[in-house]
Amino acid sequence: MSFSECRELISEGDTVILYINVSQIYALEVTPKVSNKHGQLVDNVFQTKYGSLKVTDLIGKKFGSKVSLSKGWAHVLYPTPELWTITLPHRTQILYTPDISMVLTQLEVGPGSVVCEAGTGSGSLSHALLRAVGPTGKLHTCDFHKERVQVALEEFTRHGFGDRVTVTHRDVCAQGLGIEGEADAVFLDLPKPWEAIPHGVRAIKNAGGRICSFSPCIEQVSRTCELMKSIGLREVTTLECLAREFQVKTISLPVISRTKKKIEVQDPDVAQDEPEVIKKQKIDNDNEEEEASDASDKFENNHEEIPTEKENNQAKIESVQKINDIKFRTGVTQLKMPGHTGFLTFATIPPDLKRPEIINNPCDSAE
Ligand SMILES: C[S@@+](CC[C@H](N)C(=O)[O-])C[C@H]1O[C@@H](n2cnc3c(N)ncnc32)[C@H](O)[C@@H]1O
């Protein structure tokens, strides 16, 4: 089953995704019994906010179909690495789909690729790698946490990837990846990637390949980049994947005039995070309004200060100008972009790299 092939109907043993709504999505194993929290085997009945589901009732149903819960309904979806990433049982921090997509693209992983990964963690990235390498490719993944290795192996096997993966229990910094000259790409998600990079280089084919290190902190990135460059890796590049939200706003730009230049925001709720050019203009506009109100106060308190004809004409020009402004709807981005998970540092291992010489130096000098 299931992540590695396409099927229409749900069978016993499948992993299925129960989609209730965007914030209630669950991965279920279609088995008659499950272990409860006391380790006893009980009937596999899944409880939701909309009532219960006897999971074996899904057998024979079509993937994608609507199914009844005791007090509502849900859809039962085919499992994909993307859906697994948002439903998997967390044993560690995991990589999410925006970063995963960048990793697959930048590492140029495709059908037939051989990829090394450390550490396996919760297997979120591993699932995407396993789909990408296809039945002719291979993933060698390792972790120094024994239980995580066992659970990951069980999951990969249950999900139909058993024949294209090796999962090993090892400390990659001390023992390496266990592969030499075989990989097209290496991915590291480790606290001290600089200790594993030389081993990663050793794992790559003589023809060259790509390596990536994921780190949450810029200090780790800095150290990783220095090491990568010092051992002759090329195209060292760090990327951060952030979702940028665009708010649709009506903007009005004045027709260019010799009397005044301004950009004005029509939508009053463009707030803190609007682009500087618009913010500045709003401040300018506010100042203009203050000046105008000062002038009107003066006028009210001192009847001698009557607006001149020139001032009246200027006001008329401005009001005509406002009517002539070009208005358009556009996307305005926020300056602050939340959602930091980590930085992805990529590099190319060139085919002509003198590996034995590099491997020994950086490991010795890393600490
Ligand atoms: C953040 S998790 C990886 C998560 C994974 N990328 C995912 O998407 O699910 C990091 C893993 O690296 C493992 N690890 C840390 N140092 C290691 C080392 N020196 N050798 C092998 N594994 C290591 C940890 O046990 C942990 O499971």
Side-chain angles (χ1 to χ4, degrees):
M1 138 75 249
S2 30
F3 288 67
S4 58
E5 60 171 3
C6 272
R7 255 193 300 103
E8 202 181 347
L9 300 180
I10 297 170
S11 310
E12 185 170 337
D14 282 354
T15 299
V16 299
I17 306 294
L18 190 74
Y19 181 98
I20 297 173
N21 57 43
V22 75
S23 53
Q24 293 178 71
I25 310 174
Y26 308 97
L28 308 179
E29 300 299 327
V30 185
T31 52
K33 300 275 179 193
V34 280
S35 297
N36 66 12
K37 58 183 176 184
H38 309 296
Q40 297 156 330
L41 278 184
V42 292
D43 284 347
N44 191 357
V45 178
F46 188 70
Q47 301 295 340
T48 78
K49 205 175 157 189
Y50 301 95
S52 58
L53 171 76
K54 190 174 175 211
V55 178
T56 44
D57 285 351
L58 296 175
I59 295 170
K61 294 255 169 23
K62 269 191 177 178
F63 281 106
S65 63
K66 193 170 168 177
V67 294
S68 295
L69 309 173
S70 60
K71 290 184 216 154
W73 51 269
H75 280 90
V76 62
L77 305 181
Y78 205 87
T80 63
E82 291 75 17
L83 290 170
W84 182 246
T85 286
I86 55 173
T87 53
L88 60 78
H90 280 227
R91 302 176 285 272
T92 61
Q93 296 269 353
I94 64 163
L95 257 69
Y96 289 91
T97 297
D99 285 316
I100 292 174
S101 317
M102 187 59 81
V103 169
L104 296 180
T105 312
Q106 286 287 330
L107 289 185
E108 298 168 18
V109 178
S113 296
V114 178
V115 183
C116 289
E117 180 195 24
T120 314
S122 305
S124 171
L125 172 67
S126 318
H127 275 77
L129 288 169
L130 283 163
R131 180 183 58 184
V133 300
T136 55
K138 198 96 188 171
L139 174 69
H140 301 284
T141 182
C142 63
D143 203 298
F144 69 3
H145 191 287
K146 204 171 180 182
E147 210 173 286
R148 285 179 202 150
V149 169
Q150 271 166 4
V151 178
L153 182 57
E154 279 163 25
E155 276 175 3
F156 298 148
T157 309
R158 208 164 54 231
H159 295 164
F161 290 134
D163 56 348
R164 60 180 90 163
V165 68
T166 67
V167 194
T168 49
H169 175 227
R170 57 172 54 238
D171 180 341
V172 71
C173 298
Q175 301 166 278
L177 287 147
I179 302 292
E180 288 224 6
E182 273 183 52
D184 297 290
V186 167
F187 178 85
L188 305 172
D189 183 353
L190 302 167
K192 293 181 179 176
W194 48 88
E195 290 186 0
I197 286 168
H199 299 293
V201 172
R202 201 197 288 265
I204 291 284
K205 285 177 179 165
N206 288 335
R210 295 275 285 164
I211 189 165
C212 174
S213 169
F214 176 90
S215 295
C217 309
I218 201 71
E219 291 78 8
Q220 291 166 310
V221 172
S222 172
R223 194 161 172 184
T224 301
C225 290
E226 272 171 33
L227 176 75
M228 283 178 165
K229 286 179 187 164
S230 75
I231 62 175
L233 304 199
R234 307 232 179 102
E235 302 171 308
V236 177
T237 310
T238 299
L239 303 172
E240 187 186 18
C241 296
L242 291 176
R244 169 168 260 200
E245 190 181 311
F246 282 78
Q247 293 179 350
V248 178
K249 300 283 177 191
T250 302
I251 302 287
S252 118
L253 288 179
V255 176
I256 293 171
S257 139
R258 257 181 265 156
T259 53
K260 199 154 214 167
K261 267 192 185 172
K262 76 177 171 182
I263 299 170
E264 204 176 277
V265 176
Q266 293 287 299
D267 207 330
D269 61 348
V270 176
Q272 302 260 349
D273 294 324
E274 62 205 6
E276 282 305 322
V277 63
I278 295 174
K279 254 192 213 167
K280 182 180 176 309
Q281 190 54 44
K282 277 189 117 178
I283 292 163
D284 291 349
N285 289 348
D286 289 344
N287 290 342
E288 280 171 30
E289 274 162 25
E290 268 172 39
E291 279 165 30
S293 112
D294 284 346
S296 92
D297 285 346
K298 271 186 203 161
F299 179 65
E300 275 175 16
N301 297 332
N302 179 356
H303 289 270
E304 283 171 20
E305 288 191 36
I306 296 167
T308 62
E309 194 181 339
K310 194 178 161 197
E311 282 166 340
N312 277 336
N313 286 343
Q314 182 62 32
K316 272 186 205 159
I317 291 168
E318 280 180 19
S319 78
V320 169
Q321 182 130 23
K322 265 202 163 153
I323 294 163
N324 289 337
D325 282 355
I326 298 171
K327 294 187 180 61
F328 58 94
R329 298 279 280 171
T330 188
V332 179
T333 61
Q334 298 189 327
L335 286 186
K336 284 181 211 147
M337 287 173 60
H340 172 80
T341 53
F343 301 102
L344 291 164
T345 300
F346 296 94
T348 299
I349 293 105
D352 52 351
L353 197 69
K354 290 180 190 162
R355 285 152 214 243
E357 286 171 31
I358 351 150
I359 301 305
N360 298 330
N361 298 338
C363 245
D364 298 341
S365 60
E367 278 301 333

